[in-house]
Amino acid sequence: MGDCENSWHPCLTFNFYLPTPDIPAGPGTGEGQSEVQPADGGVVLDSTAQLRLCPGQPFQVWRLMSHLTSSMATHPDDILLEHYLDSWDELIKFMESLGSLVNFFSQKVKDKIAVIRELAQQEREDYGKHRSGEEYAGLQTPLSGSQSRYRSVRSMVESELQRRLVNFNTQTRSGCRNLLRLHRSLLWIILLLQGLGEGPDARGVYRTPGELCRDAYTVALAPHHPWLIRRAAEVVFLALPERRVFLDIVCVTKEEDIGPVLNIVISTMKEVHKRTQKILAQHNMMELP
């Protein structure tokens, strides 16, 4: 556990108990259950009763929570970058579960994740080349601690600024620029999930996923997209599946259960978003071209 930051293995934190893929923690009472403390200081339902392995589907809520909490494991004001990207790997599965048209968004996310990982890999390779002695030949493991420029969001931002990889006037192939795009997309998903967790209106009618997705997009992404992409997004929203599909994806069988489940996830995603926002804003990176 003490080496989780250096090895990029999952770091379980916040007293958050998670099931393993082979032995999921089922609902009900028993040992090993604990509460998740959301960012606003409130108390949510016992996580092991809500987040369980959902057989037969790629996206797993408990796995997403594992990556999100691991990303915040070692510093109260930073995000471990590889765990953050692992969270996005799981969110891509969520997006792709919504139908082929959503690949319009998921492919862009994949491209941005690939750039950041490629930059981190390049650093590891350069580091291995500069190490002397036979014992370091063929070094394949990630750099540890402060040696890695891409260990965390903060270290990546500060390093790329020092090396002048970030340009505030023109587009560059920097980790910071791609992180900003992921950061905006995370807000879009947070707003979508918040809408899905809301109850029906006075007539007992739920807003459609397409409406919720459009409203979230209007706030989080549309201001940063050209007209052509905004029009393409409208087509995607029209093709989104019905609400029942979303409930199945997060492994909820009853409407009254979706709120508690999503509250756990949204609270953690908000904390990750808040930390990333603070770092980017401190370095005036909220509007990188």
Side-chain angles (χ1 to χ4, degrees):
M1 290 294 294
D3 294 333
C4 62
E5 173 187 351
N6 295 340
S7 65
W8 291 11
H9 292 157
C11 308
L12 304 187
T13 186
F14 302 145
N15 296 320
F16 185 76
Y17 177 82
L18 290 168
T20 64
D22 296 325
I23 311 175
T29 59
E31 297 181 356
Q33 297 187 5
S34 59
E35 290 179 335
V36 178
Q37 299 301 321
D40 59 7
V43 177
V44 297
L45 294 181
D46 174 81
S47 58
T48 58
Q50 303 297 327
L51 306 184
R52 59 185 184 274
L53 183 68
C54 198
Q57 65 180 36
F59 173 71
Q60 299 289 336
V61 176
W62 70 264
R63 189 183 294 123
L64 172 62
M65 285 294 297
S66 174
H67 296 318
L68 290 170
T69 55
S70 292
S71 75
M72 299 184 286
T74 61
H75 196 285
D77 199 31
D78 203 356
I79 296 293
L80 294 176
L81 191 56
E82 185 61 18
H83 294 304
Y84 177 82
L85 299 180
D86 288 342
S87 302
W88 270 109
D89 288 339
E90 199 64 27
L91 287 171
I92 287 171
K93 298 175 187 176
F94 169 78
M95 296 166 69
E96 292 180 341
S97 298
L98 304 179
S100 58
L101 280 181
V102 183
N103 289 340
F104 171 83
F105 287 108
S106 64
Q107 185 57 53
K108 290 181 177 296
V109 171
K110 289 179 183 178
D111 293 343
K112 292 165 178 58
I113 292 172
V115 170
I116 298 175
R117 283 185 168 144
E118 183 179 336
L119 292 171
Q121 178 63 26
Q122 182 62 53
E123 183 202 12
R124 293 196 293 274
E125 293 174 354
D126 292 346
Y127 181 79
K129 292 177 183 178
H130 286 87
R131 295 290 293 267
S132 60
E134 294 182 358
E135 62 180 305
Y136 300 114
L139 179 66
Q140 296 295 325
T141 56
L143 302 183
S144 62
S146 60
Q147 293 174 328
S148 176
R149 297 181 180 124
Y150 293 86
R151 178 186 64 85
S152 71
V153 169
R154 187 174 296 278
S155 63
M156 180 186 72
V157 168
E158 293 175 352
S159 171
E160 290 196 341
L161 282 173
Q162 292 172 0
R163 292 181 291 152
R164 298 183 179 180
L165 298 180
V166 181
N167 192 307
F168 291 86
N169 298 311
T170 60
Q171 294 184 10
T172 59
R173 193 174 179 274
S174 67
C176 293
R177 180 183 183 275
N178 285 277
L179 175 69
L180 175 61
R181 271 62 185 176
L182 293 176
H183 179 66
R184 292 168 178 169
S185 297
L186 185 61
L187 176 60
W188 171 55
I189 294 180
I190 289 172
L191 294 175
L192 169 61
L193 294 180
Q194 283 185 166
L196 288 170
E198 295 174 353
D201 60 20
R203 301 168 298 166
V205 177
Y206 289 93
R207 298 176 66 198
T208 69
E211 293 171 337
L212 296 172
C213 207
R214 183 187 304 109
D215 290 349
Y217 176 82
T218 300
V219 173
L221 293 175
H224 312 287
H225 285 172
W227 178 86
L228 187 60
I229 292 182
R230 294 199 301 269
R231 293 297 298 170
E234 289 291 333
V235 177
V236 174
F237 303 148
L238 290 174
L240 284 179
E242 61 183 13
R243 181 179 175 85
R244 179 67 253 172
V245 173
F246 281 83
L247 271 63
D248 291 339
I249 291 173
V250 296
C251 215
V252 169
T253 57
K254 297 182 292 185
E255 278 287 355
E256 56 266 31
D257 291 338
I258 191 170
V261 170
L262 291 184
N263 285 342
I264 295 171
V265 180
I266 292 168
S267 176
T268 310
M269 292 175 71
K270 280 184 175 180
E271 180 62 24
V272 171
H273 187 273
K274 182 180 74 173
R275 293 189 189 189
T276 309
Q277 173 95 7
K278 183 177 180 180
I279 295 170
L280 292 173
Q282 285 175 342
H283 295 86
N284 300 315
M285 289 187 173
M286 294 307 300
E287 297 297 331
L288 285 179

